[in-house]
Amino acid sequence: MITRRALLANGAKVAVGTVYYGTLASFLTGCGSSDDTSESTVVKVLPGGLMVVNPVYCVGCRRCEIACSWSHGTSAVSPSTARIKVDKNLNFGPHGVQPNYEDQRGEQGDGTIVPSTCRQCDVCMTVCPQGAIYVNETTGARVVDEALCVGCGYCADKCPQQVITIDSITRKSLKCDLCEGNPNCAQVCPTGAIKFYTWEDAVAAVEQHEKYLTLI
Amino acid sequence: MSSTYGGWAGNVLRVNLTTGQITTESTNKYHDYIGGMGIGYKVLWDDHVDGIKATDEENKLVISAGPLSGSGAICSARTTITSRNPVIRGHLITDGHFGGHFSPELKYAGYDAIIIEGKSSTPVWLKIVDDKVTLEPADSLWGVGVFDTFATVSKMMGQQAQVAAIGPAGENLVAQSTFQTQGGHSAGGHGSVLGSKKLKAIGIIGTGRVEIAESTTNEQLRALDDHILGIIGANNQGVVPKEPQSWAEYSGGSSRWRGGPGVTWGAADDPVILEETPWDDRQKVGMRTSMAEMYFGREEANKIFKRPGGCHSCPIRCFCELKNPKMKTEYNLPTEYLTNTCMGFLDPWYSMGKPGNGEKKTDIMTIGGYYMDDLAIWSAYGQLSHLMREFTKRSFWEILLPAEEFAAINWEQYANLDAHFMQDYYTRIGLAKSYNGSNYFGRFLGTGLHNFINDEGELYNIQDVLDGVETPRMAELTFALEADLEHDYAGKTYSVFLDEGTHVFNRSMVGGLHHASEAAGQVGALLATVFNRDPQCHSHINLINCGLPYAKIAEVAESMWGENAFDPVKHYTAMNVAKAKFAKWCLVKNVLHDSLTVCNWMFPLLVSPDVNKDYLGDSSIESQMFSLVTGIETSEQELDDKAERVLQLHRALTVLQMKEPDQRNNHDELCEWVYDMDPEAAFGDEGTIKMDRDDIQLGLDLFYEEMGWDKATGVPTRATLERFNLGYAADKLESLGLLPA
């Protein structure tokens, strides 16, 4: 089994087409290492990559959310339907309002904004009872087939990053589709905080993001 | 969406705190007034009550967003707060604004505005979760600082809530108080209005959306966004870097393009060492402003600056997210982080006498900034701090305060530039009568200068005024500084209208100096005659401080308004029609921005950083955004006309509230110092910003003509009001004898 520490220590890369189990799967899906008891989760890495934000560079403008809205369906803008989530962690960080909120992340804490992005793991695909989520072979993105989606919300409930929403009007699942490999969120980010990483390059970026998910 | 257009949410929320009744009404009737400030002024006109004070139950307060807020349009997250303002003589109407993420959330919840009316008998806060709107008890929040209030309301609602609140200053009915939202964003003048209504906070969670017109495509929105990114500069539309960069033909001037080599986000967890920030590198747009060094100096800024911050949808980021560990270790604050910009830092610095860069200054600005925000104190664009500094310099406090109170203030700390002074200083202002001990000092500074001066700007005995003495004695203050000798003031009775150090600019309103004659000569001076508070107008600043050479700026100005529209700063020529047109244009655009609601600290964009565009910008961007978002194809002129309707209504409402048919002589006067400063210099000499009395009177003539106002009185004529479909305002003014014949 490859551990995260070992992976980083020996500079190993996540190879295209490789199947990983356990710890690394948890790492990529955002589960903490203390939860790494199961070997059952599988992340099948395919050509493509994922979006990751470096919180050091995020300036909290939410243009990524906006561009996401402008890139899918009608132009209506909403943080609820954007497939990247900034607003939830914006003011108080990933753990919400804590007694020592001044020391936690967020605008009301240490000023660090920690957006959540889809890591293109397989959880949503696995739990979907309709088989409505499939892999786009070109980008590797896990994509919702709206014709099959019934809006049951299993995917949203189980999403480790909590970045999937059921559209309140269409009742369809909304998740990151990597904009056909040309992600609009990254195009409009004014500091380059959010980037598209190939799987090979994603490990360090994900680890950097993970640092900001812990409680202080 | 209840309207057929994009942009507007479709509903206005009306909350009556006396009855507890909460209702919604359609936004459609406000479409002709755009939104934001336009809704505020229309509501206040429709619901006008004669002769009331800002803190009376009958006064209403409007919190409003425009059709662009939440749409994703660049820099569109301003929120406008409109109501009578107790800091203003006669408690006239003003609009304050904050940025942040509040107005987009309001729109996502389904509302364009909230009208607050009446007065609750007990403290309450307003909870908005989409269409579920309730008043909640706020007894446990009363007396709590703003930061903890944000946390408590968010804890109750959900961490994603956007919250705005008043602080102890507003609760204590301190006139100079704010209404604030998360991230250091505050709106001035109305904290005590909300305090009088016992409304502590508003929390919003909106899970809906801002619809864009069906006729608009995603590609069009992105294309306009790209177009704007090819024009927009740094904060205040600085389009050249402050210091040379290899890609830039020009540099310097007053540009706020500070991000570049030598600048470091040094307090970031992984310090970010900035390199060049070429204008066409879209992934460095958010780095170019990085303007902490403007306030703290580069050496200090590179230590404490964590990153730039700001509002929803803005790539420019004018806020400074700071980390000063001494806030915790030496000053015992619960945090070492602070975010703010401009007056949030400058007011404490002005108060302490404007010391030079260094740790002491850094501590003053961060500690002072913390207390100002936590207590929610409004500086009135520095008027509070200018008074503090000048009165200290003139040793007035010893005369004005009871001896025991004077002795209780730690003047040694003040003299030593010790930031510990900030705690007691701002606590006195914020707690007012609730302060533990004699506190004429804090009550004076927080009450609004107009209460303490006679028609000549001479001070009454402030203890008499604060004690409610019907005929207060005079304070018997005299000019006694060496600098007063050159004015021949020495030994004369002190007047704030003569002392340029106080920065009172509009004599009639006792309004503060804010980008006036020091910016664009008569243009800036005329801007200061119209609004009832300091003119928060940056339409001219966003051109003249762009950093391009004077000749280029003058060329742009001439193409817009005519020959000699813009003089070199501090080398002014006589008033002319072009300057009057320039001034009117600035005001119309300002009102447009506060109605849309977009940022007047960035727009309008008359210039660009792009040499291939010959550095020209695009003045029609606002109408392009409006057209795409709402689906109402609207030209720049058509949209400007809507904004001018709001501006004309503002003037009419001022006339109505003052019951004053002669605005020229009772609203639009400037202070003596504006004309009498630099006694050795004459108006027009290079190096002075002094104005000339006759020239400004000519300026008013020409400006009124552009505005369609009666030359003798400065009141809009019936023809003007009717041209903007404001015949109802003309009827009302005429019925009261307030309309020019």
Side-chain angles (χ1 to χ4, degrees):
Chain A
M1 187 180 81
I2 299 171
T3 65
R4 183 191 321 176
R5 186 171 297 162
L7 175 80
L8 294 169
N10 65 19
K13 300 289 187 183
V14 183
V16 172
T18 308
V19 177
Y20 292 99
Y21 297 89
T23 298
L24 180 60
S26 299
F27 173 46
L28 291 170
T29 57
C31 301
S33 56
S34 59
D35 298 328
D36 296 344
T37 52
S38 168
E39 296 280 339
S40 60
T41 310
V42 176
V43 172
K44 189 174 183 184
V45 182
L46 289 166
L50 69 163
M51 307 305 303
V52 188
V53 178
N54 182 349
V56 170
Y57 283 82
C58 180
V59 291
C61 65
R62 296 166 70 185
R63 276 173 54 82
C64 50
E65 275 183 2
I66 292 162
C68 187
S69 290
W70 285 353
S71 309
H72 298 92
T74 64
S75 309
V77 175
S78 168
S80 298
T81 58
R83 294 115 194 258
I84 175 172
K85 304 296 183 191
V86 188
D87 66 330
K88 188 179 173 196
N89 296 347
L90 182 72
N91 288 317
F92 292 97
H95 295 273
V97 185
Q98 299 294 316
N100 66 338
Y101 70 88
E102 300 97 335
D103 296 326
Q104 299 294 330
R105 307 301 183 189
E107 196 66 77
Q108 298 305 114
D110 73 350
T112 308
I113 312 298
V114 192
S116 302
T117 56
C118 171
R119 293 190 178 168
Q120 304 299 342
C121 70
D122 285 347
V123 172
C124 54
M125 203 159 67
T126 305
V127 302
C128 177
Q130 296 297 111
I133 301 177
Y134 65 97
V135 178
N136 178 314
E137 298 296 335
T138 308
T139 63
R142 277 61 178 158
V143 181
V144 177
D145 181 340
E146 289 201 353
L148 296 176
C149 176
V150 295
C152 66
Y154 279 22
C155 55
D157 284 348
K158 301 297 181 190
C159 173
Q161 314 303 326
Q162 290 293 291
V163 288
I164 298 180
T165 316
I166 304 302
D167 189 306
S168 61
I169 296 172
T170 65
R171 303 304 304 168
K172 303 293 180 188
S173 173
L174 304 171
K175 77 166 292 298
C176 175
D177 57 6
L178 293 176
C179 296
E180 304 290 331
N182 191 21
N184 286 274
C185 51
Q187 291 173 32
V188 304
C189 177
T191 56
I194 181 168
K195 288 183 174 156
F196 176 77
Y197 293 87
T198 61
W199 287 108
E200 287 86 347
D201 297 330
V203 175
V206 171
E207 193 198 46
Q208 168 76 351
H209 186 264
E210 293 265 313
K211 282 196 317 196
Y212 290 93
L213 295 176
T214 58
L215 196 63
I216 297 172
Chain B
M1 186 178 68
S2 61
S3 76
T4 55
Y5 304 115
W8 290 286
N11 298 300
V12 171
L13 199 58
R14 192 178 283 266
V15 179
N16 187 312
L17 294 168
T18 303
T19 64
Q21 193 174 29
I22 298 170
T23 55
T24 57
E25 52 200 72
S26 170
T27 307
N28 291 3
K29 68 177 177 180
Y30 301 108
H31 283 187
D32 286 345
Y33 302 83
I34 305 174
M37 175 183 180
I39 297 176
Y41 280 84
K42 184 67 168 76
V43 169
L44 268 289
W45 174 277
D46 288 346
D47 297 353
H48 168 75
V49 181
D50 271 345
I52 56 171
K53 291 195 178 307
T55 49
D56 285 347
E57 183 174 352
E58 295 90 338
N59 185 29
K60 299 185 180 184
L61 180 142
V62 182
I63 301 160
S64 47
L68 296 189
S69 287
S71 73
I74 278 183
C75 306
S76 61
R78 304 293 298 173
T79 303
T80 305
I81 292 94
T82 314
S83 188
R84 286 182 180 263
N85 182 337
V87 180
I88 306 304
R89 181 173 266 170
H91 290 210
L92 302 183
I93 190 166
T94 67
D95 49 288
H97 323 99
F98 56 55
H101 299 258
F102 190 83
S103 63
E105 197 74 14
L106 180 67
K107 299 283 292 289
Y108 300 138
Y111 308 100
D112 295 296
I114 308 169
I115 302 168
I116 306 290
E117 51 190 28
K119 183 180 282 193
S120 175
S121 56
T122 57
V124 291
W125 66 279
L126 183 66
K127 180 181 179 184
I128 302 173
V129 182
D130 296 329
D131 58 353
K132 295 180 182 60
V133 185
T134 52
L135 286 167
E136 306 287 332
D139 303 271
S140 62
L141 291 173
W142 209 248
V144 174
V146 156
F147 298 128
D148 281 348
T149 299
F150 291 153
T152 306
V153 171
S154 296
K155 184 84 176 170
M156 290 189 281
M157 287 189 74
Q159 68 190 80
Q160 72 272 43
Q162 294 300 332
V163 185
I166 61 168
E171 295 171 20
N172 286 304
L173 305 184
V174 172
Q176 303 224 180
S177 55
T178 62
F179 183 49
Q180 291 183 200
T181 190
Q182 286 125 318
H185 304 274
S186 59
H190 297 124
S192 66
V193 176
L194 290 164
S196 73
K197 297 181 181 306
K198 290 205 160 38
L199 183 64
K200 173 70 177 177
I202 300 175
I204 307 176
I205 292 177
T207 64
R209 59 191 81 198
V210 170
E211 301 284 353
I212 308 293
E214 281 183 10
S215 54
T216 297
T217 66
N218 293 325
E219 291 70 26
Q220 285 176 301
L221 291 164
R222 276 299 303 277
L224 179 56
D225 193 70
D226 283 345
H227 173 62
I228 299 169
L229 286 176
I231 289 173
I232 205 163
N235 181 236
N236 279 179
Q237 189 56 1
V239 296
V240 306
K242 178 71 176 169
E243 292 183 3
Q245 296 194 24
S246 62
W247 55 271
E249 183 180 14
Y250 302 113
S251 59
S254 304
S255 176
R256 292 185 171 186
W257 193 308
R258 299 289 184 137
V263 173
T264 301
W265 301 356
D269 294 342
D270 306 313
V272 178
I273 298 167
L274 297 192
E275 298 170 351
E276 293 208 339
T277 49
W279 74 271
D280 55 354
D281 186 339
R282 299 288 165 86
Q283 312 259 266
K284 289 187 173 176
V285 175
M287 297 173 173
R288 63 172 61 149
T289 297
S290 294
M291 64 187 198
E293 65 168 29
M294 214 172 76
Y295 304 113
F296 297 91
R298 179 164 293 182
E299 189 179 336
E300 285 293 302
N302 282 351
K303 282 192 293 187
I304 65 169
F305 188 42
K306 187 165 184 177
R307 66 168 174 86
C311 308
H312 183 269
S313 73
C314 170
I316 304 305
R317 320 314 284 165
C318 69
F319 268 60
C320 303
E321 310 272 338
L322 306 176
K323 177 181 182 180
N324 178 7
K326 287 171 70 183
M327 291 171 68
K328 257 188 172 180
T329 58
E330 193 166 328
Y331 298 95
N332 296 319
L333 295 178
T335 184
E336 56 191 8
Y337 302 101
L338 186 75
T339 173
N340 221 307
T341 193
C342 198
M343 279 299 154
F345 301 133
L346 295 179
D347 194 76
W349 179 60
Y350 288 155
S351 295
M352 296 293 277
K354 301 195 276 191
N357 294 335
E359 251 186 67
K360 281 183 180 246
K361 178 183 173 186
T362 298
D363 289 355
I364 286 167
M365 297 211 290
T366 50
I367 307 305
Y370 175 88
Y371 280 111
M372 266 188 91
D373 267 7
D374 201 41
L375 292 155
I377 291 167
W378 183 44
S379 77
Y381 200 70
Q383 194 172 74
L384 186 159
S385 50
H386 296 311
L387 279 181
M388 170 63 188
R389 183 189 62 248
E390 293 304 307
F391 279 26
T392 307
K393 190 167 76 182
R394 293 178 179 280
S395 303
F396 282 170
W397 297 118
E398 198 162 0
I399 301 166
L400 293 170
L401 303 177
E404 278 186 17
E405 183 180 329
F406 180 80
I409 295 171
N410 195 332
W411 297 106
E412 192 179 339
Q413 282 179 343
Y414 184 92
N416 291 334
L417 303 176
D418 181 346
H420 287 94
F421 185 81
M422 294 284 96
Q423 179 178 8
D424 185 56
Y425 171 57
Y426 284 118
T427 301
R428 281 177 178 271
I429 297 167
L431 297 192
K433 273 187 176 175
S434 304
Y435 181 82
N436 186 19
S438 173
N439 189 26
Y440 290 101
F441 175 74
R443 291 165 65 201
F444 166 73
L445 287 171
T447 299
L449 180 60
H450 71 90
N451 293 288
F452 300 94
I453 56 175
N454 65 13
D455 289 345
E456 301 306 315
E458 298 162 353
L459 265 86
Y460 294 118
N461 180 307
I462 67 169
Q463 296 176 48
D464 283 0
V465 174
L466 290 166
D467 289 343
V469 174
E470 200 168 319
T471 310
R473 295 165 290 173
M474 297 307 294
E476 308 296 345
L477 304 177
T478 54
F479 283 102
L481 295 181
E482 202 170 306
D484 299 328
L485 288 171
E486 65 180 57
H487 285 281
D488 200 23
Y489 292 160
K492 290 185 176 174
T493 302
Y494 176 81
S495 162
V496 295
F497 297 154
L498 301 180
D499 181 7
E500 66 182 273
T502 61
H503 287 216
V504 180
F505 195 83
N506 182 313
R507 191 185 197 277
S508 315
M509 292 293 100
V510 200
L513 170 72
H514 196 163
H515 303 317
S517 51
E518 87 289 3
Q522 299 96 330
V523 175
L526 290 167
L527 298 179
T529 64
V530 176
F531 294 122
N532 298 324
R533 56 170 285 188
D534 63 293
Q536 309 154 89
C537 182
H538 297 78
S539 307
H540 55 322
I541 298 300
N542 300 340
L543 171 65
I544 70 173
N545 284 357
C546 69
L548 288 169
Y550 167 75
K552 186 68 203 175
I553 299 170
E555 178 190 317
V556 172
E558 182 173 333
S559 72
M560 292 290 296
W561 308 291
E563 203 175 347
N564 296 324
F566 176 55
D567 296 327
V569 172
K570 294 191 177 182
H571 199 180
Y572 299 136
T573 63
M575 183 65 200
N576 58 38
V577 174
K579 291 178 184 178
K581 289 182 187 295
F582 186 4
K584 177 186 174 179
W585 183 90
C586 289
L587 290 168
V588 169
K589 291 295 187 187
N590 187 184
V591 170
L592 173 64
H593 301 151
D594 292 340
S595 299
L596 278 173
T597 32
V598 299
C599 180
N600 183 252
W601 283 256
M602 283 308 305
F603 287 101
L605 309 180
L606 287 183
V607 286
S608 78
D610 186 358
V611 64
N612 295 317
K613 292 189 180 80
D614 195 23
Y615 298 108
L616 297 181
D618 181 352
S619 65
S620 69
I621 285 170
E622 296 91 322
S623 62
Q624 295 176 51
M625 295 195 294
F626 180 83
S627 298
L628 278 188
V629 169
T630 64
I632 305 169
E633 189 60 37
T634 306
S635 69
E636 180 184 2
Q637 187 59 56
E638 287 168 339
L639 195 59
D640 284 356
D641 286 346
K642 285 177 189 281
E644 187 171 349
R645 174 178 298 135
V646 178
L647 179 59
Q648 297 287 359
L649 184 63
H650 170 282
R651 186 69 163 188
L653 184 51
T654 299
V655 174
L656 179 64
Q657 288 188 338
M658 290 179 75
K659 286 207 175 313
E660 176 53 70
D662 184 359
Q663 293 287 300
R664 181 168 189 137
N665 292 302
N666 295 298
H667 183 283
D668 299 348
E669 292 177 305
L670 304 181
C671 283
E672 281 87 337
W673 71 261
V674 177
Y675 306 110
D676 297 336
M677 65 187 300
D678 296 343
E680 300 301 317
F683 165 72
D685 285 354
E686 188 167 7
T688 185
I689 62 167
K690 77 186 299 179
M691 298 280 102
D692 176 78
R693 286 180 169 80
D694 291 340
D695 184 70
I696 286 292
Q697 289 307 311
L698 172 64
L700 288 173
D701 288 348
L702 298 175
F703 176 67
Y704 290 167
E705 194 164 330
E706 292 299 321
M707 292 300 303
W709 295 350
D710 175 57
K711 197 175 282 188
T713 63
V715 174
T717 63
R718 172 172 283 281
T720 298
L721 291 171
E722 289 184 344
R723 189 162 74 246
F724 292 99
N725 294 330
L726 297 171
Y728 64 85
D731 293 343
K732 176 83 173 176
L733 294 184
E734 188 169 38
S735 72
L736 296 167
L738 298 170
L739 197 68

